[in-house]
Amino acid sequence: KAGVTQTPRYLIKTRGQQVTLSCSPISGHRSVSWYQQTPGQGLQFLFEYFSETQRNKGNFPGRFSGRQFSNSRSEMNVSTLELGDSALYLCASSFRRGTGELFFGEGSRLTVL
Amino acid sequence: QKEVEQNSGPLSVPEGAIASLNCTYSDRVSQSFFWYRQYSGKSPELIMSIYSNGDKEDGRFTAQLNKASQYVSLLIRDSQPSDSATYLCAFGRTYKYIFGTGTRLKVLA
């Protein structure tokens, strides 16, 4: 059974650019969550999608957005990149929201220069 | 009060010893509890989930849940240098997952 797949794994952007990250959840999982992780900050929750609808949102500016498609695949977008957006972006999927086991992808490491 | 509290460590234990990691949480309605292991530069890997009071064992790992006292712990028996990582606890609540900031474990050979 394939795990959560994230692409791209690594990317380098410059300030002001935008970036789109992709996530394919485990087959059968309809809940997809996104997290940002920076050294010393722990996992910061960005948002969660379920059945193509954003269900929960963390405390991030509107530059961070996402969407989910009918096949449960999800994308997140960050516009007008800032240096502080450099981080590991993690996607996770679960079968049952909030109670089921949450599985993470390998992450997309974004560096903003 | 933080929703989840973990000692950041590092917790250093000698090889072969038992490592004990603890986590307290503030939400009494939480139903699901998880332990993740995260190696430096890698993503979190689920190692244990526990839903009921008591102990749950899986190989060298034992998770202990006490809902009345609002804590969950992870015991790692026969610790190996390869267990050196950051361990995150998490709980599920109302369609959300709340993560601790992690305890860094160092197993000394």
Side-chain angles (χ1 to χ4, degrees), chain A residues 12-33:
Chain A
I12 300 173
K13 295 286 187 178
T14 56
R15 281 182 299 173
Q17 287 187 310
Q18 73 165 15
V19 65
T20 299
L21 309 178
S22 178
C23 172
S24 293
I26 291 172
S27 178
H29 287 191
R30 291 193 293 158
S31 173
V32 175
S33 302

Side-chain angles (χ1 to χ4, degrees), chain B residues 73-109:
Chain B
S73 62
L74 180 70
L75 300 178
I76 306 174
R77 289 181 300 281
D78 188 24
S79 295
Q80 301 297 308
S82 59
D83 294 326
S84 297
T86 296
Y87 289 80
L88 306 169
C89 72
F91 68 90
R93 177 201 70 190
T94 322
Y95 306 125
K96 294 175 68 172
Y97 297 89
I98 311 298
F99 283 84
T101 53
T103 298
R104 191 155 65 96
L105 173 66
K106 297 175 70 173
V107 180
L108 307 173

Side-chain angles (χ1 to χ4, degrees), chain A residues 7 15 38 40 112:
Chain A
T7 57
R15 281 182 299 173
T38 54
V112 182

Side-chain angles (χ1 to χ4, degrees), chain A residues 8-81:
Chain A
R9 292 288 315 282
Y10 303 91
L11 61 168
I12 300 173
K13 295 286 187 178
T14 56
R15 281 182 299 173
Q17 287 187 310
Q18 73 165 15
V19 65
T20 299
L21 309 178
S22 178
C23 172
S24 293
I26 291 172
S27 178
H29 287 191
R30 291 193 293 158
S31 173
V32 175
S33 302
W34 289 89
Y35 295 83
Q36 181 196 66
Q37 189 175 42
T38 54
Q41 286 293 320
L43 283 170
Q44 303 294 314
F45 173 72
L46 281 156
F47 27 64
E48 183 228 354
Y49 286 87
F50 181 80
S51 293
E52 302 178 64
T53 302
Q54 187 181 92
R55 304 291 179 154
N56 285 300
K57 190 177 190 305
N59 188 25
F60 278 82
R63 300 186 296 107
F64 292 81
S65 63
R67 59 178 175 168
Q68 186 181 35
F69 303 95
S70 59
N71 61 358
S72 295
R73 191 176 69 85
S74 178
E75 288 181 348
M76 68 162 283
N77 184 277
V78 188
S79 63
T80 319
L81 285 166

Side-chain angles (χ1 to χ4, degrees), chain B residues 20-106:
Chain B
S20 178
L21 305 163
N22 300 304
C23 176
T24 59
Y25 60 95
S26 60
D27 191 334
R28 289 188 173 274
V29 301
S30 299
Q31 297 177 319
S32 53
F33 304 85
F34 310 94
W35 281 100
Y36 289 83
R37 176 177 63 198
Q38 186 173 24
Y39 293 112
S40 181
K42 303 295 185 181
S43 66
E45 173 193 10
L46 179 67
I47 53 173
M48 291 285 283
S49 59
I50 185 166
Y51 298 89
S52 305
N53 275 329
D55 296 359
K56 179 181 178 182
E57 187 175 317
D58 184 358
R60 296 186 296 114
F61 299 97
T62 298
Q64 299 174 318
L65 174 61
N66 185 320
K67 290 187 178 182
S69 300
Q70 295 176 253
Y71 83 78
V72 59
S73 62
L74 180 70
L75 300 178
I76 306 174
R77 289 181 300 281
D78 188 24
S79 295
Q80 301 297 308
S82 59
D83 294 326
S84 297
T86 296
Y87 289 80
L88 306 169
C89 72
F91 68 90
R93 177 201 70 190
T94 322
Y95 306 125
K96 294 175 68 172
Y97 297 89
I98 311 298
F99 283 84
T101 53
T103 298
R104 191 155 65 96
L105 173 66
K106 297 175 70 173

